[in-house]
Short mmCIF file of all heavy atoms in Angstrom, two decimals:
data_model
loop_
_atom_site.label_atom_id
_atom_site.label_comp_id
_atom_site.label_asym_id
_atom_site.label_seq_id
_atom_site.Cartn_x
_atom_site.Cartn_y
_atom_site.Cartn_z
N ILE A 128 -48.42 -48.49 84.22
CA ILE A 128 -49.68 -47.87 84.61
C ILE A 128 -50.78 -48.93 84.55
O ILE A 128 -51.00 -49.50 83.49
CB ILE A 128 -50.00 -46.66 83.72
CG1 ILE A 128 -48.88 -45.62 83.86
CG2 ILE A 128 -51.35 -46.06 84.05
CD1 ILE A 128 -49.06 -44.44 82.93
N THR A 129 -51.43 -49.16 85.68
CA THR A 129 -52.46 -50.21 85.76
C THR A 129 -53.81 -49.58 86.01
O THR A 129 -53.99 -48.82 86.96
CB THR A 129 -52.13 -51.21 86.87
OG1 THR A 129 -50.83 -51.76 86.64
CG2 THR A 129 -53.15 -52.33 86.89
N LEU A 130 -54.78 -49.91 85.16
CA LEU A 130 -56.17 -49.50 85.33
C LEU A 130 -56.96 -50.74 85.71
O LEU A 130 -57.02 -51.71 84.97
CB LEU A 130 -56.73 -48.92 84.03
CG LEU A 130 -56.35 -47.48 83.65
CD1 LEU A 130 -54.85 -47.37 83.40
CD2 LEU A 130 -57.11 -47.04 82.42
N ASP A 131 -57.52 -50.71 86.94
CA ASP A 131 -58.21 -51.86 87.46
C ASP A 131 -59.67 -51.47 87.74
O ASP A 131 -60.00 -51.02 88.84
CB ASP A 131 -57.53 -52.33 88.76
CG ASP A 131 -58.01 -53.69 89.22
OD1 ASP A 131 -58.87 -54.30 88.52
OD2 ASP A 131 -57.53 -54.19 90.25
N PRO A 132 -60.57 -51.60 86.76
CA PRO A 132 -61.95 -51.17 86.95
C PRO A 132 -62.72 -52.08 87.87
O PRO A 132 -62.37 -53.25 88.05
CB PRO A 132 -62.52 -51.22 85.53
CG PRO A 132 -61.71 -52.26 84.85
CD PRO A 132 -60.32 -52.17 85.43
N ARG A 133 -63.77 -51.55 88.45
CA ARG A 133 -64.64 -52.37 89.32
C ARG A 133 -65.31 -53.46 88.50
O ARG A 133 -65.58 -54.54 89.00
CB ARG A 133 -65.66 -51.49 89.99
CG ARG A 133 -65.09 -50.54 91.04
CD ARG A 133 -66.11 -49.57 91.55
NE ARG A 133 -65.54 -48.67 92.54
CZ ARG A 133 -66.15 -47.59 92.97
NH1 ARG A 133 -67.36 -47.25 92.54
NH2 ARG A 133 -65.56 -46.82 93.90
N GLU A 134 -65.60 -53.16 87.25
CA GLU A 134 -66.16 -54.14 86.33
C GLU A 134 -65.36 -54.11 85.04
O GLU A 134 -64.96 -53.06 84.59
CB GLU A 134 -67.64 -53.83 86.05
CG GLU A 134 -68.55 -53.90 87.26
CD GLU A 134 -70.01 -53.64 86.92
OE1 GLU A 134 -70.29 -53.47 85.73
OE2 GLU A 134 -70.83 -53.60 87.85
N GLY A 135 -65.14 -55.30 84.47
CA GLY A 135 -64.40 -55.34 83.21
C GLY A 135 -62.99 -55.80 83.43
O GLY A 135 -62.57 -56.19 84.52
N ASN A 136 -62.21 -55.72 82.36
CA ASN A 136 -60.87 -56.27 82.36
C ASN A 136 -59.82 -55.27 82.86
O ASN A 136 -59.95 -54.08 82.64
CB ASN A 136 -60.49 -56.72 80.95
CG ASN A 136 -61.36 -57.88 80.46
OD1 ASN A 136 -61.77 -58.73 81.23
ND2 ASN A 136 -61.65 -57.87 79.17
N ARG A 137 -58.82 -55.80 83.51
CA ARG A 137 -57.68 -55.01 83.97
C ARG A 137 -56.80 -54.67 82.77
O ARG A 137 -56.62 -55.46 81.85
CB ARG A 137 -56.91 -55.84 84.97
CG ARG A 137 -55.96 -55.13 85.87
CD ARG A 137 -55.59 -56.07 87.01
NE ARG A 137 -54.65 -55.48 87.94
CZ ARG A 137 -53.38 -55.83 88.01
NH1 ARG A 137 -52.90 -56.74 87.19
NH2 ARG A 137 -52.57 -55.26 88.91
N TYR A 138 -56.24 -53.46 82.79
CA TYR A 138 -55.39 -53.02 81.67
C TYR A 138 -54.06 -52.48 82.22
O TYR A 138 -54.04 -51.80 83.23
CB TYR A 138 -56.08 -51.92 80.87
CG TYR A 138 -55.16 -51.20 79.91
CD1 TYR A 138 -54.85 -51.76 78.66
CD2 TYR A 138 -54.57 -49.98 80.24
CE1 TYR A 138 -53.98 -51.11 77.79
CE2 TYR A 138 -53.70 -49.33 79.37
CZ TYR A 138 -53.40 -49.91 78.16
OH TYR A 138 -52.57 -49.27 77.29
N GLN A 139 -52.97 -52.82 81.53
CA GLN A 139 -51.66 -52.28 81.89
C GLN A 139 -51.00 -51.67 80.67
O GLN A 139 -51.01 -52.24 79.61
CB GLN A 139 -50.78 -53.38 82.46
CG GLN A 139 -51.02 -53.70 83.93
CD GLN A 139 -49.91 -54.53 84.53
OE1 GLN A 139 -49.26 -55.29 83.85
NE2 GLN A 139 -49.73 -54.42 85.85
N GLY A 140 -50.44 -50.47 80.89
CA GLY A 140 -49.64 -49.84 79.86
C GLY A 140 -48.22 -49.66 80.40
O GLY A 140 -48.01 -49.38 81.59
N ILE A 141 -47.22 -49.86 79.54
CA ILE A 141 -45.84 -49.81 79.95
C ILE A 141 -45.08 -48.82 79.06
O ILE A 141 -45.26 -48.85 77.83
CB ILE A 141 -45.17 -51.19 79.89
CG1 ILE A 141 -45.89 -52.18 80.82
CG2 ILE A 141 -43.68 -51.10 80.26
CD1 ILE A 141 -45.39 -53.60 80.74
N VAL A 142 -44.28 -47.96 79.67
CA VAL A 142 -43.47 -47.01 78.93
C VAL A 142 -42.07 -46.98 79.55
O VAL A 142 -41.93 -47.13 80.75
CB VAL A 142 -44.12 -45.63 78.92
CG1 VAL A 142 -44.17 -45.02 80.31
CG2 VAL A 142 -43.40 -44.69 77.96
N ALA A 143 -41.08 -46.80 78.72
CA ALA A 143 -39.69 -46.78 79.23
C ALA A 143 -39.37 -45.51 79.98
O ALA A 143 -39.95 -44.44 79.72
CB ALA A 143 -38.73 -46.95 78.04
N LEU A 144 -38.44 -45.62 80.93
CA LEU A 144 -37.94 -44.43 81.65
C LEU A 144 -36.85 -43.78 80.80
O LEU A 144 -35.66 -43.79 81.16
CB LEU A 144 -37.39 -44.86 83.00
CG LEU A 144 -38.41 -45.32 84.05
CD1 LEU A 144 -37.71 -45.91 85.26
CD2 LEU A 144 -39.27 -44.11 84.49
N ASP A 145 -37.25 -43.22 79.67
CA ASP A 145 -36.26 -42.66 78.76
C ASP A 145 -36.37 -41.14 78.60
O ASP A 145 -35.81 -40.57 77.68
CB ASP A 145 -36.33 -43.35 77.39
CG ASP A 145 -37.71 -43.25 76.77
OD1 ASP A 145 -38.59 -42.59 77.36
OD2 ASP A 145 -37.92 -43.85 75.71
N GLN A 146 -37.12 -40.50 79.52
CA GLN A 146 -37.20 -39.06 79.53
C GLN A 146 -36.50 -38.52 80.80
O GLN A 146 -36.20 -39.25 81.70
CB GLN A 146 -38.67 -38.60 79.52
CG GLN A 146 -39.45 -39.14 78.31
CD GLN A 146 -38.97 -38.64 77.00
OE1 GLN A 146 -38.62 -37.45 76.86
NE2 GLN A 146 -38.92 -39.51 75.99
N GLU A 147 -36.29 -37.21 80.82
CA GLU A 147 -35.52 -36.62 81.90
C GLU A 147 -36.39 -36.27 83.12
O GLU A 147 -35.85 -35.89 84.17
CB GLU A 147 -34.79 -35.38 81.41
CG GLU A 147 -33.72 -35.67 80.38
CD GLU A 147 -32.70 -36.68 80.90
OE1 GLU A 147 -32.19 -36.51 82.01
OE2 GLU A 147 -32.42 -37.66 80.16
N THR A 148 -37.71 -36.36 82.99
CA THR A 148 -38.60 -36.05 84.09
C THR A 148 -39.72 -37.08 84.16
O THR A 148 -40.00 -37.78 83.18
CB THR A 148 -39.24 -34.65 83.94
OG1 THR A 148 -40.09 -34.67 82.75
CG2 THR A 148 -38.18 -33.56 83.81
N LEU A 149 -40.35 -37.16 85.34
CA LEU A 149 -41.52 -38.02 85.47
C LEU A 149 -42.63 -37.58 84.52
O LEU A 149 -43.25 -38.42 83.84
CB LEU A 149 -42.00 -38.00 86.91
CG LEU A 149 -43.33 -38.75 87.17
CD1 LEU A 149 -43.17 -40.23 86.91
CD2 LEU A 149 -43.75 -38.51 88.65
#
Side-chain angles (χ1 to χ4, degrees):
I128 298 176
T129 304
L130 282 64
D131 193 1
R133 291 173 180 168
E134 297 182 3
N136 297 325
R137 197 165 179 254
Y138 167 81
Q139 279 193 332
I141 300 176
V142 65
L144 289 170
D145 56 5
Q146 303 295 319
E147 295 305 311
T148 64
L149 174 63

